[in-house]
Each structure stands twice: as structure tokens, then as C-alpha cells.
Amino acid sequence: MVLPDKSKRATSAKDGQAEVFSSSASQAEMETIAKRLRRHIITMIGKAGSGHPGGSLSAVEILTALYFKVLRHKPRDPQWLDRDRFILSKGHAAPVLYATLAECGYFPVEELLTLRQMDSRLQGHADRTATPGVEMSSGALGQGLSFGIGVALAGRLDSKDYRVYVLLGDGECDEGQVWEGAMAAAHFKVDNLVAIVDNNGQQIGGWNRDVMNLDPFPAKWRAFGWQVIEVDGHSISQLTQVFDQAKKIKRQPTVIIAHTVKGKGVSFMENNPDFHGKAPNAEEVKLALKELE
Ligand SMILES: Cc1ncc(C[n+]2csc(CCOP(=O)(O)OP(=O)(O)O)c2C)c(N)n1
């Protein structure tokens, strides 16, 4: 899979060997990329025979906007010290991260088909020791925000201007550690950190409102001292706009509550908790790919 030329830009000599990924992808190019990400997610989970399609599909536009418009990063130099950091706290959604990293050029797109195989670099949950571009090993929910706060504070101590983005699930916000982190980020006025909640309304066992009601969700974040922005999590243009808006918020952390649909893009997976952690069978893969043409 080759990226549209316009979404890459050669760096100046000052930037060294590797390219800084550009922010010049157009809206239309990002829509096309988002569709490819969905196809990758279905194909790789189908081939693996296990995995989490629902919460991967709901986050597609969030990762597209970040990796193709917002983040400053170098796919050919994943450890570049000045990179913006993206932390996937909901580590079970690793397929959407792998698909995005592959589309950016961190590793070959063909490697996506090795998902969950023995010795593959693409394990079922994100592993920072295995996969280029993965910032945190995650999968045990609740930890990514605290990790992100540490990374953001380290940036402040080192006088770096990188920014840190942490993607949480809404179900994940049942974890007490999320709120300890929320309290700490506000206390330390961590304004180089943005939390994004993939607010698809569901978790492993069904709707959040039945399992553990989070409402009033935005009010809770505000009470913890955060700036709250709500957005349609499937609108790439709105997402890029609010990420820009968040850059201007000082002395306070920002949370973007992205309203999404679990399983987005595949009719029989949308809002269907069965596909939280179940792979589509061969027939379902075919049907899904047809819908994603
Ligand atoms: C600490 C911990 N407890 C339980 C699980 C099992 N688990 C995996 S996914 C999930 C639900 C997560 O829901 P949400 O964060 O809303 O994810 P999404 O719906 O976006 O997939 C649970 C409970 C886990 N991975 N980690």
C-alpha cells in the first residue's frame, strides 16, 4: 500500500536522515486512508481468527487525524527524541494502531497479516519492545493516562516541546487509576497532554450505562480540573480542528470526548457487543470488505 505523495514531505537537511511526517494530507486523502485502515482491521483480525474489531473500528478516524495531520513524527526514526507521542491505553485495539503505523511506513503493510502469530512483531495487545512506533505496552486497562502524564512531565523537565496524546476507552474509565491520573494531570497543570476518550458507549459486556454508568461524563472530567471538548469522533475535519484548539489551552490538561460508534463502518458490527472481542469468520470478512469498498 503506497501513501499518496502529498501526505509525505521531505525534510530539510537540518532534520537529519529520516523524514518528519507531514501534516499536508488532504481531507479526501485521509478519508481514503481511514477506509483502508478499516479494511486492514477486518482482514488481519479475520486471518488471525481472534482480536478486537469493535473498538478498533471506532477509533479509525481518531488515529487517522492524529497520524496524518496532527502528530510530528518520523516513521523511519521511531525513537526520534522530539516526536509527539501517541499512547494507546486501550491496548486491545492494537489492530487500528498497527494498521495506522503500517500505512505511515513504520513497517510493511504486508506484515499486518502476521497479527497474533507466534514470533510476529504484532501481538494481540500493543508491545513497545516488539513493534516500531508503539510507545507503551498496554492491554491491562487503566494505565495509559498515568504513563502519558509521566512522558509529558519528562518533556517539560527536558524543555522539549513534544505533545502527548493518550487514547482511552470509555469502559476503561471504570478503572480507578484513570481518575488518579486525571487528578495528577490537573494538579501538575500538564498542558502538553491530551486525553482522547473513544466514547463508543460500550465495553466488553455491553453498554456502559448497564455495566457501570459513567454519566455525567464531561462533568466528571471538568470536576477533576480538565478542559473538556466534545467532538464527533468520526469526523476527521472536526477532530483535526479540536486537536488544534487543544494546543492553545495552557496550564490545564485537555480531554477530547470523541463520540463514536463501536464497530463503525461494518453494519453487522456497529453497536454489536458480540464483536467487542470476536473475529469475523470468512463469510463475515467477505461481507465486511464488500461494505468497505
Ligand atoms: C485491567 C483490565 N481489566 C479487564 C480487562 C478486559 N477487557 C478488555 S477490553 C475491556 C472493555 C474495554 O471497554 P472500552 O475501554 O470501552 O473499550 P472499547 O469499547 O473501545 O473497545 C475489558 C474489560 C483488561 N484488558 N484490563
Side-chain angles (χ1 to χ4, degrees):
M1 203 66 69
V2 184
L3 275 170
D5 278 342
K6 273 207 296 181
S7 66
K8 270 210 242 166
R9 172 190 65 172
T11 54
S12 67
K14 264 198 305 194
D15 289 317
Q17 304 299 314
E19 289 171 340
V20 177
F21 213 64
S22 89
S23 48
S24 62
S26 71
Q27 178 72 24
E29 284 164 343
M30 286 191 286
E31 300 290 349
T32 307
I33 290 164
K35 191 169 272 189
R36 283 211 299 270
L37 297 185
R38 288 203 159 86
R39 293 178 63 83
H40 290 323
I41 290 165
I42 295 298
T43 311
M44 70 173 118
I45 297 178
K47 168 128 194 311
S50 64
H52 297 80
S56 297
L57 291 168
S58 60
V60 161
E61 282 79 11
I62 297 168
L63 270 81
T64 303
L66 281 170
Y67 277 88
F68 290 89
K69 200 73 177 175
V70 177
L71 294 185
R72 184 177 70 188
H73 62 124
K74 291 185 182 182
R76 286 197 280 163
D77 184 5
Q79 296 303 314
W80 179 41
L81 285 178
D82 291 327
R83 70 193 184 281
D84 290 332
R85 273 72 165 168
F86 172 77
I87 291 154
L88 180 71
S89 189
K90 41 171 267 182
H92 59 282
V96 67
L97 178 58
Y98 297 155
T100 309
L101 292 172
E103 282 286 341
C104 289
Y106 281 85
F107 49 82
V109 166
E110 297 70 40
E111 199 170 330
L112 294 174
L113 292 177
T114 69
L115 177 72
R116 287 180 171 242
Q117 285 177 14
M118 293 285 269
D119 298 328
S120 166
R121 295 196 288 183
L122 310 181
Q123 287 305 304
H125 293 75
D127 179 351
R128 75 184 299 277
T129 67
T131 316
V134 169
E135 297 283 353
M136 177 193 171
S137 299
S138 54
L141 295 168
Q143 301 178 359
L145 185 58
S146 312
F147 182 94
I149 292 165
V151 176
L153 287 173
R156 186 193 282 179
L157 280 172
D158 291 342
S159 303
K160 295 276 185 196
D161 67 350
Y162 64 71
R163 292 177 64 73
V164 182
Y165 297 87
V166 180
L167 181 63
L168 301 155
D170 50 0
E172 180 179 12
C173 293
D174 289 353
E175 295 286 348
Q177 188 176 342
V178 171
W179 301 101
E180 292 177 51
M183 198 156 48
H187 178 79
F188 292 111
K189 301 182 172 46
V190 188
D191 57 9
N192 54 345
L193 172 86
V194 174
I196 309 123
V197 181
D198 181 354
N199 195 44
N200 59 34
Q202 293 192 346
Q203 55 172 284
I204 196 167
W207 292 96
N208 293 329
R209 61 174 175 263
D210 301 323
V211 179
M212 178 64 75
N213 191 15
L214 289 159
D215 291 334
F217 196 50
K220 284 197 171 93
W221 285 98
R222 273 189 210 102
F224 274 76
W226 286 59
Q227 189 68 229
V228 178
I229 305 175
E230 292 188 67
V231 69
D232 173 351
H234 297 304
S235 164
I236 293 172
S237 60
Q238 278 189 40
L239 283 161
T240 54
Q241 211 181 318
V242 297
F243 284 126
D244 266 354
Q245 191 184 333
K247 284 183 188 161
K248 297 180 192 114
I249 296 164
K250 299 296 173 203
R251 299 182 64 71
Q252 198 184 16
T254 300
V255 59
I256 293 172
I257 300 178
H259 298 291
T260 58
V261 173
K262 198 151 174 171
K264 175 74 175 176
V266 179
S267 59
F268 57 91
M269 291 187 178
E270 286 193 2
N271 288 322
N272 180 355
D274 286 352
F275 281 101
H276 166 79
K278 185 182 81 162
N281 62 30
E283 189 54 32
E284 288 164 340
V285 167
K286 230 192 266 172
L287 280 172
L289 293 179
K290 182 95 198 116
E291 290 188 15
L292 294 168
E293 270 173 7

